[in-house]
Each structure stands twice: as C-alpha cells, then as structure tokens.
C-alpha cells in the first residue's frame, strides 16, 4: 500500500471555527509533512515530523497547530483562520527525512475560509 | 537556502521529446536533485532523482553535469496525459519546491 489518504477532501469553515485535517499512511514511513499550496503556485512546506517529533516549523502562524498522534497519523488543527489561508493542504510521507527519500503525497484537502 | 529556477511554461507536441532544465546554482554537496509531476487538484508525484551524471527510469531521464549547478529532465515521446506541472527540488533534503514548469502537450 503506497497511499497517503487525507480527509476531508473539501472543507469550508468560518473564521471563528475550529476544524482539523487528517492524514494517514501505512507504509511504515517515519517522516510526515504538511504543505500549503495556493493556486498556480508550488507547494510550500509548513511542518515536518520525524519519528513523531516536530523537526521543522517553517514559521507557520499559531492558528495552524500540527499533531502526530502516532507514526501513521498526522493532523493539522485549524483555529481562527483568515480568508488568505484558503488553499490546498497537502500531506506527504517519506521513509525518513533527507534528500534521498521520495515523498508520497496525498490528494490534498481543499480548504475555503469564509 | 538553495533555490531552484525553471522556465515558467513550455509547449510541446505529442510524440516529441521534452527537456526541462532547472538551475540550482547554490546546491549543497549533499543535496540530491529530485523531480515531481503534479496534475490539477492532485498531490505531486515523484518522477526521478539523481546526484550526478545520468539517471534513467521507465518514465524519464535526468541529466546532471559535473558542476551540478543545473539539471535537465527529459521526457521521451510525450503524450497528452503528460500535460502537468513539473517541479525541480534541489535544496535541503528535497522539501523545497521550485517554481515549477507548466508543460502543455498539444495534439
């Protein structure tokens, strides 16, 4: 199984809502990633988890809160978002962090903040 | 932090070979060059990776000169289904995406 799944596929939320994005992989990968992608732009790295510990936070605002409950799951908790946070949120995993490891991406969650 | 630059867009016809070049002038000694393909509303998909010289797989070839300041992704005999955005990554462990090249394959 080389699949990364993400739920939900689409999410519409108000600026005062709290919601969560979920990501799951069963490939035994020990590195997991969150990316944000705006239309016609490349994915931008947000967070990297290595062995369930946060290893990289690319200066992401605190209204985005990542969580890695176990080696297969990655969550992104959302609170008090702004309309400019509307984007495609991509989750990825790789065997380990580092240049030689291929990342497997999920299909993404299309988030709209109203 | 090393960054990559690529042409913004390219057009090609079915059956032609397409070469997309990526510039990574400040690539670090331990950085690999990785290419991903992305279709609309989907996550990127790994195509190929290399460190130096030439790498070939069933999908593409990757040419990297000795100075490693650039690389060229070669797609043989493209089809309409190869229309996508192609990203070159060559920085800090392969998690920094370049600007991407929008390839449009025409019939």
């Amino acid at each position: 199984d080389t699949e990364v799944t993400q739920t939900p596929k689409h999410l519409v939320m108000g600026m005062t809502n709290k919601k969560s994005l979920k990501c799951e992989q069963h490939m035994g990968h020990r590195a997991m990633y969150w990316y944000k992608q705006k239309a016609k732009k490349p994915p931008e790295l947000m967070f990297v988890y290595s062995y369930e510990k946060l290893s990289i936070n690319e200066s992401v605002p605190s209204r985005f809160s990542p969580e890695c409950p176990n080696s297969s799951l990655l969550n992104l908790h959302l609170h008090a978002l702004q309309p400019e946070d509307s984007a495609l949120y991509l989750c990825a995993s790789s065997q380990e962090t580092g240049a030689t490891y291929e990342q497997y991406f999920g299909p993404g969650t299309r988030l709209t903040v109203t | 932090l090393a960054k990559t630059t690529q042409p913004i867009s390219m057009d090609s016809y079915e059956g032609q070979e397409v070469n997309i070049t990526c510039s990574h002038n400040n690539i670090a000694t331990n950085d690999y060059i990785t290419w991903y393909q992305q279709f609309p509303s989907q996550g990127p998909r790994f195509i190929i990776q290399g460190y130096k010289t030439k790498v070939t797989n069933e999908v593409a070839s990757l040419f990297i000169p000795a100075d490693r300041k650039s690389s060229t992704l070669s797609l043989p005999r493209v089809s309409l289904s190869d229309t996508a955005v192609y990203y070159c990554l060559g920085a800090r462990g392969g998690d920094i995406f370049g600007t991407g090249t929008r390839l449009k394959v025409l019939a």
Side-chain angles (χ1 to χ4, degrees), chain A residues 33 35 37 39-43 45 48 56 58 88 90 98-108 110, chain B residues 1 30-32 34 36 38 41-46 49 87 89 92-100 102:
Chain A
Y33 310 77
Y35 288 85
Q37 186 174 29
K40 297 192 185 301
K41 296 292 187 183
L45 183 67
V48 180
I56 294 175
E58 289 286 352
L88 180 68
L90 294 161
T100 61
Y101 297 103
E102 170 187 349
Q103 289 188 41
Y104 293 78
F105 282 82
R110 178 75 60 189
Chain B
L1 187 63
N30 59 348
D31 279 337
Y32 279 66
T34 310
Y36 285 80
Q38 187 178 26
S41 297
Q42 293 186 26
R45 184 175 72 103
F46 173 88
Q49 182 184 74
Y87 291 103
L89 285 71
R92 203 193 67 187
D95 54 20
I96 305 299
F97 279 75
T99 52
R102 294 184 176 276

Side-chain angles (χ1 to χ4, degrees), chain A residues 84-104:
Chain A
E84 59 265 27
D85 297 320
S86 298
L88 180 68
Y89 287 84
L90 294 161
C91 174
S93 71
S94 62
Q95 188 175 338
E96 304 262 352
T97 56
T100 61
Y101 297 103
E102 170 187 349
Q103 289 188 41
Y104 293 78

Side-chain angles (χ1 to χ4, degrees), chain A residues 18-106:
Chain A
K18 286 185 180 181
K19 296 286 185 183
S20 297
L21 309 184
K22 296 185 186 301
C23 173
E24 192 166 2
Q25 58 88 14
H26 295 287
M27 295 176 276
H29 289 173
R30 305 315 301 265
M32 297 188 77
Y33 310 77
W34 280 115
Y35 288 85
K36 172 184 176 180
Q37 186 174 29
K38 303 282 273 185
K40 297 192 185 301
K41 296 292 187 183
E44 294 176 35
L45 183 67
M46 299 174 73
F47 302 104
V48 180
Y49 273 83
S50 178
Y51 287 84
E52 301 157 50
K53 293 192 187 318
L54 183 65
S55 62
I56 294 175
N57 176 341
E58 289 286 352
S59 302
V60 178
S62 59
R63 57 185 184 269
F64 296 91
S65 176
E67 178 196 20
C68 190
N70 60 56
S71 60
S72 299
L73 292 174
L74 187 65
N75 298 320
L76 186 62
H77 303 299
L78 314 172
H79 173 56
L81 294 193
Q82 303 297 310
E84 59 265 27
D85 297 320
S86 298
L88 180 68
Y89 287 84
L90 294 161
C91 174
S93 71
S94 62
Q95 188 175 338
E96 304 262 352
T97 56
T100 61
Y101 297 103
E102 170 187 349
Q103 289 188 41
Y104 293 78
F105 282 82

